[in-house]
């Protein structure tokens, strides 16, 4: 199987004890290891892939916690750097009655924003790999430059680049997403994952089909659009394939999208993605979307991020 390398933020999700508007008793927060790219690294490791995480953690209690958790779940952390110049980021997570969450981020400043290309391990892209990241590593100029440089290096080395938009408005200055910058990152990707809300935020007044066609023309092989419990749409230059995830009762949707993309990358890692037009293989798309949907559905039935992600035996038919 092809190894997966995830780059970006690892942070601590402080999950509220309250669900919905319930206000009985004191509100407490339980720390869970999280951060979208780190979640994907763990998702891939738990599905049996060789998985590596690149990023910066604070030299602090929460940084130690995240490093231990990543390693515990089988992720290679030899590409993780540590710093005393900033602390590990925190996200306080509230949930509504359906498990949908909102975030209050304590970032910036944060350690993950200090990662630079000089922190990359020697020869990190010397072997073909799937390299995954998201837009949370674009929210300030220096980390954006690092992210774009890493995607260019990975592409030149023959890696497959995967980008999950994963838009978090409150991580951006004045809560205003730089749509042009996010689009620039998407246009460096072979695989793009978006939610319907993210697609609408990025396309603005541009017609949906035209915007998707532009991303495919820019080089994306596959664009996958999720809609919570609704149908998933996988777009290629040859058309659209749709699949409905299995129905579940959501408890916490924090890791649902990351579990989904982890399943998709696991399917790709076991596929000949270096072959031209791999995305037009109907049987592969069926397998990949089935696994991704099962992984996402499994994760939302459990609280937290790393701990909610499925192992292969949870989602593979015996």
């Amino acid at each position: 199987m092809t190894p997966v390398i995830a780059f970006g933020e690892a942070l601590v999700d402080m999950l509220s004890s309250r669900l919905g508007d319930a206000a009985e008793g004191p509100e407490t927060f339980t720390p869970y290891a999280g951060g979208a790219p780190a979640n994907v690294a763990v998702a891939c490791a738990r599905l049996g892939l060789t998985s590596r995480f690149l990023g910066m953690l604070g030299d602090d209690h929460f940084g130690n916690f995240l490093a231990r958790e990543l390693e515990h779940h089988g992720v290679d952390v030899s590409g993780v750097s540590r710093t005393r110049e900033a602390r590990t980021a925190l996200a306080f997570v509230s949930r509504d009655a359906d498990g949908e969450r909102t975030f209050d981020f304590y970032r910036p400043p944060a350690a993950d924003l200090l990662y630079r290309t000089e922190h990359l391990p020697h020869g990190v892209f010397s072997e073909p790999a799937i390299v995954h990241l998201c837009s949370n590593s674009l929210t300030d100029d220096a980390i954006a430059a690092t992210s774009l440089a890493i995607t260019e290096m990975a592409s030149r080395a023959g890696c497959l680049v995967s980008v999950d938009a994963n838009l978090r408005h409150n991580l951006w200055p004045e809560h205003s997403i730089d749509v042009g910058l996010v689009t620039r990152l998407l246009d460096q990707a072979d695989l793009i994952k978006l939610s319907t809300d993210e697609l609408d935020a990025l396309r603005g007044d541009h017609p949906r089909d035209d915007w998707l066609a532009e991303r495919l023309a820019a080089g994306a092989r596959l664009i996958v659009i999720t809609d919570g419990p609704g149908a998933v749409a996988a777009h290629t230059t040859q058309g659209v394939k749709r699949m409905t995830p299995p129905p579940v009762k959501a408890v916490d949707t924090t890791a649902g999208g990351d579990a989904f993309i982890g399943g998709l990358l696991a399917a790709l890692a076991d596929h000949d993605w270096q072959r031209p037009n791999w995305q037009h293989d109907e049987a592969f798309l069926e397998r990949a979307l089935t696994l991704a949907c099962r992984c996402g559905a499994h994760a939302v039935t459990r609280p937290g991020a790393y701990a909610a992600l499925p192992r292969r035996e949870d989602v593979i038919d015996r």
Side-chain angles (χ1 to χ4, degrees):
M1 279 191 173
T2 304
V4 171
I5 301 170
F7 164 70
E9 81 279 4
L11 52 79
V12 176
D13 290 323
M14 304 295 289
L15 188 63
S16 172
S17 58
R18 292 180 180 169
L19 191 63
D21 296 326
E24 298 85 1
E27 183 175 19
T28 60
F29 292 88
T30 303
Y32 287 89
N39 291 345
V40 173
V42 172
C44 290
R46 287 172 67 89
L47 290 170
L49 278 66
T50 299
S51 179
R52 189 175 197 180
F53 179 72
L54 307 177
M56 182 80 75
L57 298 175
D59 187 8
D60 53 30
H61 169 76
F62 286 122
N64 294 338
F65 168 65
L66 288 171
R68 286 195 307 269
E69 285 293 293
L70 285 164
E71 215 164 6
H72 171 74
H73 290 286
V75 176
D76 179 348
V77 295
S78 61
V80 173
S81 297
R82 305 294 293 268
T83 183
R84 293 187 177 182
E85 294 181 31
R87 293 189 176 276
T88 303
L90 304 178
F92 285 80
V93 186
S94 301
R95 297 171 292 165
D96 67 16
D98 296 319
E100 288 293 338
R101 69 273 187 263
T102 56
F103 297 91
D104 288 316
F105 290 100
Y106 282 63
R107 173 189 186 260
D112 64 278
L113 299 173
L114 302 181
Y115 197 90
R116 303 291 179 262
T117 53
E118 56 263 33
H119 296 124
L120 287 169
H122 177 72
V124 64
F125 302 128
S126 59
E127 300 287 339
I130 296 172
V131 177
H132 178 78
L133 66 163
C134 73
S135 71
N136 293 343
S137 57
L138 299 178
T139 55
D140 95 355
D141 291 344
I143 194 64
T146 299
S147 301
L148 293 170
I150 286 174
T151 58
E152 289 169 4
M153 293 167 65
S155 292
R156 285 199 305 269
C159 297
L160 184 144
V161 175
S162 162
V163 175
D164 181 355
N166 198 50
L167 299 180
R168 297 287 178 264
H169 293 255
N170 51 350
L171 283 178
W172 293 80
E174 300 180 1
H175 293 192
S176 179
I177 293 166
D178 186 334
V179 171
L181 184 59
V182 174
T183 304
R184 182 179 169 190
L185 178 64
L186 296 179
D187 284 348
Q188 291 184 335
D190 300 287
L191 168 65
I192 296 171
K193 186 261 182 191
L194 303 159
S195 70
T196 52
D197 289 344
E198 289 165 346
L199 172 58
D200 290 341
L202 292 171
R203 70 180 179 87
D205 295 330
H206 209 49
R208 178 187 178 116
D209 290 344
D210 290 353
W211 189 91
L212 291 168
E214 287 175 8
R215 307 288 73 77
L216 291 167
R221 305 286 196 89
L222 178 64
I223 304 174
V224 180
I225 302 169
T226 61
D227 189 20
V232 173
H235 294 255
T236 71
T237 55
Q238 289 194 345
V240 185
K241 182 173 182 61
R242 302 183 190 278
M243 180 172 291
T244 301
V248 295
K249 171 60 178 174
V251 171
D252 178 10
T253 62
T254 301
D258 300 324
F260 178 93
I261 194 70
L264 200 58
L265 296 186
L268 260 173
D270 198 26
H271 187 65
D272 186 10
W273 57 266
Q274 296 184 74
R275 176 172 55 85
N277 298 321
W278 54 262
Q279 70 276 19
H280 297 151
D281 182 335
E282 284 289 322
F284 161 70
L285 280 182
E286 181 79 20
R287 292 195 307 273
L289 293 175
T290 297
L291 178 58
C293 287
R294 288 179 178 179
C295 288
H298 181 278
V300 301
T301 62
R302 293 154 174 78
Y306 298 2
L309 297 165
R311 297 191 182 276
R312 185 165 288 269
E313 58 267 26
D314 296 322
V315 289
I316 300 293
D317 290 330
R318 291 172 177 81

